[in-house]
Structures are given as C-alpha cells and as structure tokens.
Amino acid sequence: QSVKNHLADIFQFDSIQILEQNNKILLIPLYRKTKTVTHVRSIKGLVIDGRTRQPLPYSSVFLSDKSTGTITNQTGRFDLKIHTDESGDTLGISHIGYKMVTIPLSSIDTSALVIRLSSDKVQISEVVVKPLDPIYILTKAIESISVNYDCKPAIYKGFIRESTQQDKKNVSLSEAIIDVFKEPYTSTREDQIKIFKGRKGDNLVAKELVDVVVQGSLYNSLQLDIVKNRPTFLDADYFALYQYSLEKTLSHLERPTYIIAFKQREGVKYPCYKGKLYIDVETLAIVG
C-alpha cells in the first residue's frame, strides 16, 4: 500500500493530520479546542397562584440588586441564567395583584423551584366622578395659582442652545450658561435672564439661501410658562372667545387629572388657540 495509507493506519488513533505537499509528507498534530468554562448557573422554576395552584404567566423574575431578569412563559415557567459571582444576591418574583416573594440565592439548592404567590389587595383612594363646568374648573385653577406655585422669587442656573440649520448644516449656533431670575407667580413683573458665559459661531458658506435667522429663544423660553404669562385661554377676560369642554378624567403621573379641550368659538374673528389643558383634580394645578 502507499506510504500515506500506511501512515494513516499507524496514526489512526492519534490526532495527526497527514498531508502530501511537494513530494513530501507532512504530519500535523491536531490540538483540540479546550472548552471554555462558563461560570453560569441556571435557575429554573414554576410560578403559580398559592390558592388555585394555577400558573401565573408573565410574572417578573429578577435579581434584586442587578438588572438581570426574565418573565415566565404562558405556562408560568422560567429559566434564569445568572453568574456564579452573584450567589450573594436575592431572587425576586412579582406579579400584578400578588405579594412579591424574595429568596436568597444562597438558600436555593435545586435548579427547579415552585414559587407560590399569594394575592395582595391594594387600597386606593376614592374617586368621585361627576359632571363639572369647565369654566368653573378653570376659574378655580386660576384662583389656586398663589397656592400651587411659588410666591417667593428664585434664581435658577440654566443652559441654552439656539441654532439655525439648512440642509442639516448649522448656519448659526449660539450657546450660553444663564442665570434665570424667576419672579413670584403673584407678581406682575416679568422674569429676567442674565447671560453668565456664552459663545456664538456663524457658517457663512451654508448661508446662501437663508435670508432671515430667527433669534430670541431667551425671551421665548420664558414666555412658555403659561401660568406666569397666561395666554387668552387661561384669562377670564377672554373666556368668551373660546368653547370649552370637559373631555374626561384620567390618571396623569399617577394622579386623577381633568382634560379640558378648548377651541375658537364660531363667529369669533380674533385669532385664538386650540388644544387641551391638564388640571390636577385634587389641587387644581395646571400640569400640562
């Protein structure tokens, strides 16, 4: 038989590769790849209702001190893989309407857990729904400004950037660190701004087709405070220009909130706004 076949018989139980190249025989040892040791632990389990023994799908399973977590599938089962260095952490299991369960990882001696959750009742404050006149709500909200907003002056530190772009290129750009002197909401004096430090740059090359560069964001940003600088839809002298309607009451920032829609009344020639007001039910503060 050929030399190559003869060598193949000799090294058939060894990790040797035999190659012919330039009338020579090459014997190349094959090194097996060492398996990477992964320090990962898998925790599997089932989350069920403690009373009905029914599985609880979409329950949250997580480590208390980490961002590691998963959810149970439709059968209530989960498979959470954690690093062995996290053995000192705590496993948390939660579901809406149930009390959260915590289990120290050090006390888990099996990869298959059965976690029983018990229902939890949460007492919420009573909400009374009744029809109200939107004009009455707006009037009371305006009267409550002195209670809901600062009655003392304040100074804030801020940062502002103003830019004009053409074809996604800046034509002008200005930045500044500012001090804002906020007058009390009971005062008729205007707020003031002082530029602490600023800089400005122009790109004249990209300014070919720009005739006007709009500026004035320092002033305009202060005017956005509609409680301090009340527009016509928040001024009782201009209520006759608008048509108000109480759309609904919903939870905004976890608080019951009125939504009052307003638009220009038919036949009014004066230019008016159109939009929605969000007013807190309890405090009557204007929140949006």
Side-chain angles (χ1 to χ4, degrees), residues 207-242:
K207 201 175 180 181
E208 298 175 357
L209 303 178
V210 178
D211 297 327
V212 179
V213 176
V214 180
Q215 293 181 328
S217 59
L218 289 173
Y219 174 80
N220 293 332
S221 60
L222 293 180
Q223 299 305 306
L224 292 177
D225 185 350
I226 64 171
V227 178
K228 185 71 167 57
N229 308 287
R230 275 176 269 167
T232 52
F233 58 83
L234 273 179
D235 193 331
D237 295 336
Y238 294 90
F239 280 173
L241 302 178
Y242 291 92

PDB file of all heavy atoms in Angstrom, residues 207-242:
ATOM      1  N   LYS A 207     -24.894  79.674   4.239  1.00  0.00           N
ATOM      2  CA  LYS A 207     -25.929  80.678   4.452  1.00  0.00           C
ATOM      3  C   LYS A 207     -26.409  81.275   3.140  1.00  0.00           C
ATOM      4  O   LYS A 207     -26.943  82.384   3.103  1.00  0.00           O
ATOM      5  CB  LYS A 207     -25.377  81.782   5.369  1.00  0.00           C
ATOM      6  CG  LYS A 207     -26.424  82.617   6.079  1.00  0.00           C
ATOM      7  CD  LYS A 207     -25.768  83.584   7.028  1.00  0.00           C
ATOM      8  CE  LYS A 207     -26.827  84.428   7.736  1.00  0.00           C
ATOM      9  NZ  LYS A 207     -26.217  85.408   8.667  1.00  0.00           N
ATOM     10  N   GLU A 208     -26.232  80.543   2.045  1.00  0.00           N
ATOM     11  CA  GLU A 208     -26.527  81.108   0.738  1.00  0.00           C
ATOM     12  C   GLU A 208     -28.002  81.459   0.571  1.00  0.00           C
ATOM     13  O   GLU A 208     -28.337  82.529   0.064  1.00  0.00           O
ATOM     14  CB  GLU A 208     -26.104  80.113  -0.354  1.00  0.00           C
ATOM     15  CG  GLU A 208     -24.603  79.816  -0.336  1.00  0.00           C
ATOM     16  CD  GLU A 208     -24.240  78.756  -1.344  1.00  0.00           C
ATOM     17  OE1 GLU A 208     -25.175  78.238  -1.990  1.00  0.00           O
ATOM     18  OE2 GLU A 208     -23.052  78.450  -1.492  1.00  0.00           O
ATOM     19  N   LEU A 209     -28.893  80.556   0.962  1.00  0.00           N
ATOM     20  CA  LEU A 209     -30.314  80.751   0.692  1.00  0.00           C
ATOM     21  C   LEU A 209     -31.094  81.186   1.925  1.00  0.00           C
ATOM     22  O   LEU A 209     -32.314  81.221   1.893  1.00  0.00           O
ATOM     23  CB  LEU A 209     -30.916  79.452   0.143  1.00  0.00           C
ATOM     24  CG  LEU A 209     -30.251  78.908  -1.132  1.00  0.00           C
ATOM     25  CD1 LEU A 209     -30.892  77.609  -1.544  1.00  0.00           C
ATOM     26  CD2 LEU A 209     -30.311  79.919  -2.253  1.00  0.00           C
ATOM     27  N   VAL A 210     -30.422  81.484   3.028  1.00  0.00           N
ATOM     28  CA  VAL A 210     -31.105  81.908   4.244  1.00  0.00           C
ATOM     29  C   VAL A 210     -31.065  83.424   4.332  1.00  0.00           C
ATOM     30  O   VAL A 210     -29.999  84.036   4.394  1.00  0.00           O
ATOM     31  CB  VAL A 210     -30.453  81.287   5.495  1.00  0.00           C
ATOM     32  CG1 VAL A 210     -31.143  81.780   6.757  1.00  0.00           C
ATOM     33  CG2 VAL A 210     -30.549  79.771   5.416  1.00  0.00           C
ATOM     34  N   ASP A 211     -32.235  84.039   4.283  1.00  0.00           N
ATOM     35  CA  ASP A 211     -32.322  85.497   4.343  1.00  0.00           C
ATOM     36  C   ASP A 211     -32.530  85.985   5.766  1.00  0.00           C
ATOM     37  O   ASP A 211     -32.086  87.065   6.133  1.00  0.00           O
ATOM     38  CB  ASP A 211     -33.473  86.000   3.460  1.00  0.00           C
ATOM     39  CG  ASP A 211     -33.228  85.672   1.984  1.00  0.00           C
ATOM     40  OD1 ASP A 211     -32.053  85.669   1.570  1.00  0.00           O
ATOM     41  OD2 ASP A 211     -34.199  85.405   1.264  1.00  0.00           O
ATOM     42  N   VAL A 212     -33.255  85.199   6.576  1.00  0.00           N
ATOM     43  CA  VAL A 212     -33.589  85.626   7.928  1.00  0.00           C
ATOM     44  C   VAL A 212     -33.186  84.532   8.908  1.00  0.00           C
ATOM     45  O   VAL A 212     -33.501  83.362   8.694  1.00  0.00           O
ATOM     46  CB  VAL A 212     -35.102  85.921   8.060  1.00  0.00           C
ATOM     47  CG1 VAL A 212     -35.425  86.330   9.491  1.00  0.00           C
ATOM     48  CG2 VAL A 212     -35.522  87.014   7.092  1.00  0.00           C
ATOM     49  N   VAL A 213     -32.497  84.894   9.952  1.00  0.00           N
ATOM     50  CA  VAL A 213     -32.155  83.983  11.036  1.00  0.00           C
ATOM     51  C   VAL A 213     -32.976  84.396  12.252  1.00  0.00           C
ATOM     52  O   VAL A 213     -32.811  85.504  12.770  1.00  0.00           O
ATOM     53  CB  VAL A 213     -30.653  84.018  11.363  1.00  0.00           C
ATOM     54  CG1 VAL A 213     -30.357  83.124  12.556  1.00  0.00           C
ATOM     55  CG2 VAL A 213     -29.839  83.592  10.163  1.00  0.00           C
ATOM     56  N   VAL A 214     -33.892  83.518  12.680  1.00  0.00           N
ATOM     57  CA  VAL A 214     -34.783  83.839  13.790  1.00  0.00           C
ATOM     58  C   VAL A 214     -34.043  83.624  15.094  1.00  0.00           C
ATOM     59  O   VAL A 214     -33.461  82.565  15.324  1.00  0.00           O
ATOM     60  CB  VAL A 214     -36.053  82.967  13.730  1.00  0.00           C
ATOM     61  CG1 VAL A 214     -36.976  83.310  14.894  1.00  0.00           C
ATOM     62  CG2 VAL A 214     -36.762  83.163  12.403  1.00  0.00           C
ATOM     63  N   GLN A 215     -34.062  84.625  15.948  1.00  0.00           N
ATOM     64  CA  GLN A 215     -33.420  84.530  17.246  1.00  0.00           C
ATOM     65  C   GLN A 215     -34.387  85.032  18.310  1.00  0.00           C
ATOM     66  O   GLN A 215     -35.438  85.584  18.000  1.00  0.00           O
ATOM     67  CB  GLN A 215     -32.122  85.348  17.274  1.00  0.00           C
ATOM     68  CG  GLN A 215     -31.034  84.767  16.357  1.00  0.00           C
ATOM     69  CD  GLN A 215     -29.748  85.583  16.416  1.00  0.00           C
ATOM     70  OE1 GLN A 215     -29.804  86.780  16.610  1.00  0.00           O
ATOM     71  NE2 GLN A 215     -28.622  84.916  16.259  1.00  0.00           N
ATOM     72  N   GLY A 216     -33.996  84.838  19.553  1.00  0.00           N
ATOM     73  CA  GLY A 216     -34.833  85.309  20.653  1.00  0.00           C
ATOM     74  C   GLY A 216     -35.309  84.214  21.569  1.00  0.00           C
ATOM     75  O   GLY A 216     -36.308  84.349  22.256  1.00  0.00           O
ATOM     76  N   SER A 217     -34.587  83.087  21.596  1.00  0.00           N
ATOM     77  CA  SER A 217     -35.059  81.964  22.414  1.00  0.00           C
ATOM     78  C   SER A 217     -34.962  82.267  23.903  1.00  0.00           C
ATOM     79  O   SER A 217     -35.687  81.680  24.694  1.00  0.00           O
ATOM     80  CB  SER A 217     -34.260  80.712  22.084  1.00  0.00           C
ATOM     81  OG  SER A 217     -32.876  80.940  22.324  1.00  0.00           O
ATOM     82  N   LEU A 218     -34.075  83.166  24.304  1.00  0.00           N
ATOM     83  CA  LEU A 218     -34.000  83.534  25.716  1.00  0.00           C
ATOM     84  C   LEU A 218     -35.330  84.114  26.178  1.00  0.00           C
ATOM     85  O   LEU A 218     -35.856  83.775  27.239  1.00  0.00           O
ATOM     86  CB  LEU A 218     -32.874  84.535  25.940  1.00  0.00           C
ATOM     87  CG  LEU A 218     -31.451  83.990  25.823  1.00  0.00           C
ATOM     88  CD1 LEU A 218     -30.451  85.120  25.906  1.00  0.00           C
ATOM     89  CD2 LEU A 218     -31.181  82.970  26.894  1.00  0.00           C
ATOM     90  N   TYR A 219     -35.882  84.986  25.379  1.00  0.00           N
ATOM     91  CA  TYR A 219     -37.175  85.599  25.731  1.00  0.00           C
ATOM     92  C   TYR A 219     -38.315  84.606  25.551  1.00  0.00           C
ATOM     93  O   TYR A 219     -39.188  84.467  26.400  1.00  0.00           O
ATOM     94  CB  TYR A 219     -37.406  86.834  24.864  1.00  0.00           C
ATOM     95  CG  TYR A 219     -38.775  87.455  25.044  1.00  0.00           C
ATOM     96  CD1 TYR A 219     -39.041  88.285  26.135  1.00  0.00           C
ATOM     97  CD2 TYR A 219     -39.791  87.215  24.132  1.00  0.00           C
ATOM     98  CE1 TYR A 219     -40.297  88.859  26.300  1.00  0.00           C
ATOM     99  CE2 TYR A 219     -41.051  87.777  24.292  1.00  0.00           C
ATOM    100  CZ  TYR A 219     -41.290  88.604  25.385  1.00  0.00           C
ATOM    101  OH  TYR A 219     -42.539  89.161  25.545  1.00  0.00           O
ATOM    102  N   ASN A 220     -38.292  83.876  24.435  1.00  0.00           N
ATOM    103  CA  ASN A 220     -39.410  82.975  24.133  1.00  0.00           C
ATOM    104  C   ASN A 220     -39.524  81.838  25.130  1.00  0.00           C
ATOM    105  O   ASN A 220     -40.627  81.380  25.447  1.00  0.00           O
ATOM    106  CB  ASN A 220     -39.247  82.399  22.715  1.00  0.00           C
ATOM    107  CG  ASN A 220     -39.391  83.461  21.647  1.00  0.00           C
ATOM    108  OD1 ASN A 220     -40.076  84.458  21.852  1.00  0.00           O
ATOM    109  ND2 ASN A 220     -38.746  83.251  20.513  1.00  0.00           N
ATOM    110  N   SER A 221     -38.381  81.353  25.643  1.00  0.00           N
ATOM    111  CA  SER A 221     -38.434  80.243  26.603  1.00  0.00           C
ATOM    112  C   SER A 221     -39.141  80.667  27.884  1.00  0.00           C
ATOM    113  O   SER A 221     -39.812  79.862  28.530  1.00  0.00           O
ATOM    114  CB  SER A 221     -37.029  79.733  26.900  1.00  0.00           C
ATOM    115  OG  SER A 221     -36.238  80.774  27.448  1.00  0.00           O
ATOM    116  N   LEU A 222     -38.991  81.931  28.278  1.00  0.00           N
ATOM    117  CA  LEU A 222     -39.690  82.406  29.466  1.00  0.00           C
ATOM    118  C   LEU A 222     -41.191  82.524  29.216  1.00  0.00           C
ATOM    119  O   LEU A 222     -42.001  82.300  30.119  1.00  0.00           O
ATOM    120  CB  LEU A 222     -39.138  83.768  29.895  1.00  0.00           C
ATOM    121  CG  LEU A 222     -37.694  83.790  30.409  1.00  0.00           C
ATOM    122  CD1 LEU A 222     -37.311  85.203  30.797  1.00  0.00           C
ATOM    123  CD2 LEU A 222     -37.526  82.855  31.592  1.00  0.00           C
ATOM    124  N   GLN A 223     -41.556  82.854  27.989  1.00  0.00           N
ATOM    125  CA  GLN A 223     -42.976  83.010  27.681  1.00  0.00           C
ATOM    126  C   GLN A 223     -43.720  81.678  27.671  1.00  0.00           C
ATOM    127  O   GLN A 223     -44.943  81.649  27.703  1.00  0.00           O
ATOM    128  CB  GLN A 223     -43.126  83.695  26.305  1.00  0.00           C
ATOM    129  CG  GLN A 223     -42.517  85.083  26.240  1.00  0.00           C
ATOM    130  CD  GLN A 223     -43.046  86.011  27.313  1.00  0.00           C
ATOM    131  OE1 GLN A 223     -44.253  86.191  27.453  1.00  0.00           O
ATOM    132  NE2 GLN A 223     -42.141  86.592  28.084  1.00  0.00           N
ATOM    133  N   LEU A 224     -42.983  80.568  27.610  1.00  0.00           N
ATOM    134  CA  LEU A 224     -43.630  79.254  27.606  1.00  0.00           C
ATOM    135  C   LEU A 224     -44.228  78.898  28.963  1.00  0.00           C
ATOM    136  O   LEU A 224     -44.958  77.918  29.063  1.00  0.00           O
ATOM    137  CB  LEU A 224     -42.622  78.181  27.188  1.00  0.00           C
ATOM    138  CG  LEU A 224     -42.151  78.246  25.738  1.00  0.00           C
ATOM    139  CD1 LEU A 224     -41.100  77.186  25.470  1.00  0.00           C
ATOM    140  CD2 LEU A 224     -43.313  78.085  24.776  1.00  0.00           C
ATOM    141  N   ASP A 225     -43.910  79.651  29.989  1.00  0.00           N
ATOM    142  CA  ASP A 225     -44.530  79.443  31.297  1.00  0.00           C
ATOM    143  C   ASP A 225     -45.928  80.056  31.241  1.00  0.00           C
ATOM    144  O   ASP A 225     -46.128  81.239  31.516  1.00  0.00           O
ATOM    145  CB  ASP A 225     -43.684  80.106  32.380  1.00  0.00           C
ATOM    146  CG  ASP A 225     -44.214  79.818  33.790  1.00  0.00           C
ATOM    147  OD1 ASP A 225     -45.330  79.273  33.904  1.00  0.00           O
ATOM    148  OD2 ASP A 225     -43.502  80.144  34.756  1.00  0.00           O
ATOM    149  N   ILE A 226     -46.923  79.229  30.879  1.00  0.00           N
ATOM    150  CA  ILE A 226     -48.267  79.766  30.650  1.00  0.00           C
ATOM    151  C   ILE A 226     -48.977  80.119  31.951  1.00  0.00           C
ATOM    152  O   ILE A 226     -50.003  80.807  31.925  1.00  0.00           O
ATOM    153  CB  ILE A 226     -49.127  78.771  29.839  1.00  0.00           C
ATOM    154  CG1 ILE A 226     -49.354  77.481  30.633  1.00  0.00           C
ATOM    155  CG2 ILE A 226     -48.493  78.481  28.493  1.00  0.00           C
ATOM    156  CD1 ILE A 226     -50.359  76.549  29.992  1.00  0.00           C
ATOM    157  N   VAL A 227     -48.457  79.651  33.087  1.00  0.00           N
ATOM    158  CA  VAL A 227     -49.064  80.039  34.361  1.00  0.00           C
ATOM    159  C   VAL A 227     -48.638  81.462  34.727  1.00  0.00           C
ATOM    160  O   VAL A 227     -49.436  82.255  35.222  1.00  0.00           O
ATOM    161  CB  VAL A 227     -48.676  79.040  35.465  1.00  0.00           C
ATOM    162  CG1 VAL A 227     -49.266  79.460  36.801  1.00  0.00           C
ATOM    163  CG2 VAL A 227     -49.166  77.648  35.097  1.00  0.00           C
ATOM    164  N   LYS A 228     -47.360  81.790  34.458  1.00  0.00           N
ATOM    165  CA  LYS A 228     -46.863  83.139  34.734  1.00  0.00           C
ATOM    166  C   LYS A 228     -47.319  84.121  33.658  1.00  0.00           C
ATOM    167  O   LYS A 228     -47.717  85.252  33.956  1.00  0.00           O
ATOM    168  CB  LYS A 228     -45.327  83.110  34.795  1.00  0.00           C
ATOM    169  CG  LYS A 228     -44.695  84.443  35.196  1.00  0.00           C
ATOM    170  CD  LYS A 228     -44.944  84.723  36.655  1.00  0.00           C
ATOM    171  CE  LYS A 228     -44.073  85.864  37.164  1.00  0.00           C
ATOM    172  NZ  LYS A 228     -44.215  87.118  36.462  1.00  0.00           N
ATOM    173  N   ASN A 229     -47.231  83.704  32.404  1.00  0.00           N
ATOM    174  CA  ASN A 229     -47.644  84.542  31.271  1.00  0.00           C
ATOM    175  C   ASN A 229     -48.873  83.902  30.636  1.00  0.00           C
ATOM    176  O   ASN A 229     -48.769  83.186  29.648  1.00  0.00           O
ATOM    177  CB  ASN A 229     -46.504  84.662  30.264  1.00  0.00           C
ATOM    178  CG  ASN A 229     -45.217  85.100  30.907  1.00  0.00           C
ATOM    179  OD1 ASN A 229     -45.053  86.242  31.294  1.00  0.00           O
ATOM    180  ND2 ASN A 229     -44.271  84.165  31.039  1.00  0.00           N
ATOM    181  N   ARG A 230     -50.009  84.152  31.232  1.00  0.00           N
ATOM    182  CA  ARG A 230     -51.221  83.442  30.845  1.00  0.00           C
ATOM    183  C   ARG A 230     -51.704  83.857  29.460  1.00  0.00           C
ATOM    184  O   ARG A 230     -51.925  85.043  29.209  1.00  0.00           O
ATOM    185  CB  ARG A 230     -52.326  83.685  31.868  1.00  0.00           C
ATOM    186  CG  ARG A 230     -52.266  82.748  33.049  1.00  0.00           C
ATOM    187  CD  ARG A 230     -53.308  83.085  34.066  1.00  0.00           C
ATOM    188  NE  ARG A 230     -52.796  84.030  35.065  1.00  0.00           N
ATOM    189  CZ  ARG A 230     -53.558  84.686  35.914  1.00  0.00           C
ATOM    190  NH1 ARG A 230     -54.861  84.522  35.875  1.00  0.00           N
ATOM    191  NH2 ARG A 230     -53.026  85.508  36.787  1.00  0.00           N
ATOM    192  N   PRO A 231     -51.872  82.866  28.555  1.00  0.00           N
ATOM    193  CA  PRO A 231     -52.454  83.162  27.240  1.00  0.00           C
ATOM    194  C   PRO A 231     -53.953  83.400  27.362  1.00  0.00           C
ATOM    195  O   PRO A 231     -54.537  83.282  28.452  1.00  0.00           O
ATOM    196  CB  PRO A 231     -52.136  81.900  26.433  1.00  0.00           C
ATOM    197  CG  PRO A 231     -51.990  80.832  27.457  1.00  0.00           C
ATOM    198  CD  PRO A 231     -51.462  81.471  28.691  1.00  0.00           C
ATOM    199  N   THR A 232     -54.596  83.696  26.255  1.00  0.00           N
ATOM    200  CA  THR A 232     -56.013  84.070  26.284  1.00  0.00           C
ATOM    201  C   THR A 232     -56.894  82.950  26.812  1.00  0.00           C
ATOM    202  O   THR A 232     -57.886  83.210  27.492  1.00  0.00           O
ATOM    203  CB  THR A 232     -56.480  84.468  24.878  1.00  0.00           C
ATOM    204  OG1 THR A 232     -56.121  83.424  23.946  1.00  0.00           O
ATOM    205  CG2 THR A 232     -55.818  85.764  24.432  1.00  0.00           C
ATOM    206  N   PHE A 233     -56.551  81.680  26.554  1.00  0.00           N
ATOM    207  CA  PHE A 233     -57.427  80.597  27.007  1.00  0.00           C
ATOM    208  C   PHE A 233     -57.335  80.365  28.509  1.00  0.00           C
ATOM    209  O   PHE A 233     -58.087  79.571  29.061  1.00  0.00           O
ATOM    210  CB  PHE A 233     -57.132  79.289  26.248  1.00  0.00           C
ATOM    211  CG  PHE A 233     -55.723  78.799  26.357  1.00  0.00           C
ATOM    212  CD1 PHE A 233     -55.308  78.047  27.447  1.00  0.00           C
ATOM    213  CD2 PHE A 233     -54.807  79.085  25.365  1.00  0.00           C
ATOM    214  CE1 PHE A 233     -54.012  77.590  27.540  1.00  0.00           C
ATOM    215  CE2 PHE A 233     -53.491  78.629  25.453  1.00  0.00           C
ATOM    216  CZ  PHE A 233     -53.094  77.883  26.543  1.00  0.00           C
ATOM    217  N   LEU A 234     -56.391  81.062  29.200  1.00  0.00           N
ATOM    218  CA  LEU A 234     -56.293  80.994  30.655  1.00  0.00           C
ATOM    219  C   LEU A 234     -56.579  82.352  31.294  1.00  0.00           C
ATOM    220  O   LEU A 234     -56.243  82.560  32.456  1.00  0.00           O
ATOM    221  CB  LEU A 234     -54.903  80.507  31.075  1.00  0.00           C
ATOM    222  CG  LEU A 234     -54.699  78.994  31.168  1.00  0.00           C
ATOM    223  CD1 LEU A 234     -53.273  78.667  31.563  1.00  0.00           C
ATOM    224  CD2 LEU A 234     -55.671  78.371  32.146  1.00  0.00           C
ATOM    225  N   ASP A 235     -57.182  83.243  30.537  1.00  0.00           N
ATOM    226  CA  ASP A 235     -57.509  84.581  31.028  1.00  0.00           C
ATOM    227  C   ASP A 235     -59.022  84.732  31.034  1.00  0.00           C
ATOM    228  O   ASP A 235     -59.676  84.587  29.992  1.00  0.00           O
ATOM    229  CB  ASP A 235     -56.867  85.639  30.135  1.00  0.00           C
ATOM    230  CG  ASP A 235     -56.903  87.027  30.757  1.00  0.00           C
ATOM    231  OD1 ASP A 235     -57.837  87.290  31.549  1.00  0.00           O
ATOM    232  OD2 ASP A 235     -56.018  87.840  30.445  1.00  0.00           O
ATOM    233  N   ALA A 236     -59.582  85.006  32.210  1.00  0.00           N
ATOM    234  CA  ALA A 236     -61.042  85.094  32.323  1.00  0.00           C
ATOM    235  C   ALA A 236     -61.634  86.175  31.426  1.00  0.00           C
ATOM    236  O   ALA A 236     -62.797  86.071  30.997  1.00  0.00           O
ATOM    237  CB  ALA A 236     -61.428  85.357  33.784  1.00  0.00           C
ATOM    238  N   ASP A 237     -60.858  87.197  31.088  1.00  0.00           N
ATOM    239  CA  ASP A 237     -61.364  88.263  30.220  1.00  0.00           C
ATOM    240  C   ASP A 237     -61.568  87.783  28.786  1.00  0.00           C
ATOM    241  O   ASP A 237     -62.249  88.463  28.008  1.00  0.00           O
ATOM    242  CB  ASP A 237     -60.395  89.446  30.236  1.00  0.00           C
ATOM    243  CG  ASP A 237     -60.317  90.108  31.603  1.00  0.00           C
ATOM    244  OD1 ASP A 237     -61.301  89.968  32.374  1.00  0.00           O
ATOM    245  OD2 ASP A 237     -59.288  90.754  31.900  1.00  0.00           O
ATOM    246  N   TYR A 238     -60.977  86.652  28.431  1.00  0.00           N
ATOM    247  CA  TYR A 238     -61.069  86.150  27.050  1.00  0.00           C
ATOM    248  C   TYR A 238     -61.827  84.823  26.965  1.00  0.00           C
ATOM    249  O   TYR A 238     -61.825  84.184  25.912  1.00  0.00           O
ATOM    250  CB  TYR A 238     -59.668  85.960  26.459  1.00  0.00           C
ATOM    251  CG  TYR A 238     -58.902  87.249  26.278  1.00  0.00           C
ATOM    252  CD1 TYR A 238     -58.084  87.737  27.294  1.00  0.00           C
ATOM    253  CD2 TYR A 238     -58.990  87.976  25.104  1.00  0.00           C
ATOM    254  CE1 TYR A 238     -57.375  88.912  27.137  1.00  0.00           C
ATOM    255  CE2 TYR A 238     -58.278  89.152  24.925  1.00  0.00           C
ATOM    256  CZ  TYR A 238     -57.479  89.624  25.953  1.00  0.00           C
ATOM    257  OH  TYR A 238     -56.779  90.789  25.791  1.00  0.00           O
ATOM    258  N   PHE A 239     -62.448  84.393  28.058  1.00  0.00           N
ATOM    259  CA  PHE A 239     -63.173  83.119  28.035  1.00  0.00           C
ATOM    260  C   PHE A 239     -64.274  83.107  26.975  1.00  0.00           C
ATOM    261  O   PHE A 239     -64.612  82.056  26.427  1.00  0.00           O
ATOM    262  CB  PHE A 239     -63.779  82.827  29.405  1.00  0.00           C
ATOM    263  CG  PHE A 239     -62.786  82.273  30.394  1.00  0.00           C
ATOM    264  CD1 PHE A 239     -63.129  82.088  31.733  1.00  0.00           C
ATOM    265  CD2 PHE A 239     -61.505  81.904  29.993  1.00  0.00           C
ATOM    266  CE1 PHE A 239     -62.220  81.567  32.641  1.00  0.00           C
ATOM    267  CE2 PHE A 239     -60.591  81.389  30.900  1.00  0.00           C
ATOM    268  CZ  PHE A 239     -60.945  81.229  32.225  1.00  0.00           C
ATOM    269  N   ALA A 240     -64.862  84.265  26.686  1.00  0.00           N
ATOM    270  CA  ALA A 240     -65.962  84.321  25.721  1.00  0.00           C
ATOM    271  C   ALA A 240     -65.505  83.999  24.307  1.00  0.00           C
ATOM    272  O   ALA A 240     -66.339  83.693  23.440  1.00  0.00           O
ATOM    273  CB  ALA A 240     -66.615  85.707  25.760  1.00  0.00           C
ATOM    274  N   LEU A 241     -64.182  84.048  24.049  1.00  0.00           N
ATOM    275  CA  LEU A 241     -63.680  83.755  22.711  1.00  0.00           C
ATOM    276  C   LEU A 241     -63.584  82.256  22.443  1.00  0.00           C
ATOM    277  O   LEU A 241     -63.422  81.848  21.292  1.00  0.00           O
ATOM    278  CB  LEU A 241     -62.291  84.374  22.521  1.00  0.00           C
ATOM    279  CG  LEU A 241     -62.173  85.889  22.700  1.00  0.00           C
ATOM    280  CD1 LEU A 241     -60.720  86.317  22.522  1.00  0.00           C
ATOM    281  CD2 LEU A 241     -63.075  86.629  21.730  1.00  0.00           C
ATOM    282  N   TYR A 242     -63.684  81.455  23.504  1.00  0.00           N
ATOM    283  CA  TYR A 242     -63.413  80.025  23.385  1.00  0.00           C
ATOM    284  C   TYR A 242     -64.649  79.183  23.712  1.00  0.00           C
ATOM    285  O   TYR A 242     -65.559  79.629  24.418  1.00  0.00           O
ATOM    286  CB  TYR A 242     -62.272  79.611  24.317  1.00  0.00           C
ATOM    287  CG  TYR A 242     -60.926  80.140  23.907  1.00  0.00           C
ATOM    288  CD1 TYR A 242     -60.451  81.357  24.405  1.00  0.00           C
ATOM    289  CD2 TYR A 242     -60.121  79.433  23.025  1.00  0.00           C
ATOM    290  CE1 TYR A 242     -59.216  81.846  24.033  1.00  0.00           C
ATOM    291  CE2 TYR A 242     -58.878  79.920  22.659  1.00  0.00           C
ATOM    292  CZ  TYR A 242     -58.425  81.125  23.153  1.00  0.00           C
ATOM    293  OH  TYR A 242     -57.198  81.605  22.783  1.00  0.00           O
TER     294      TYR A 242
END
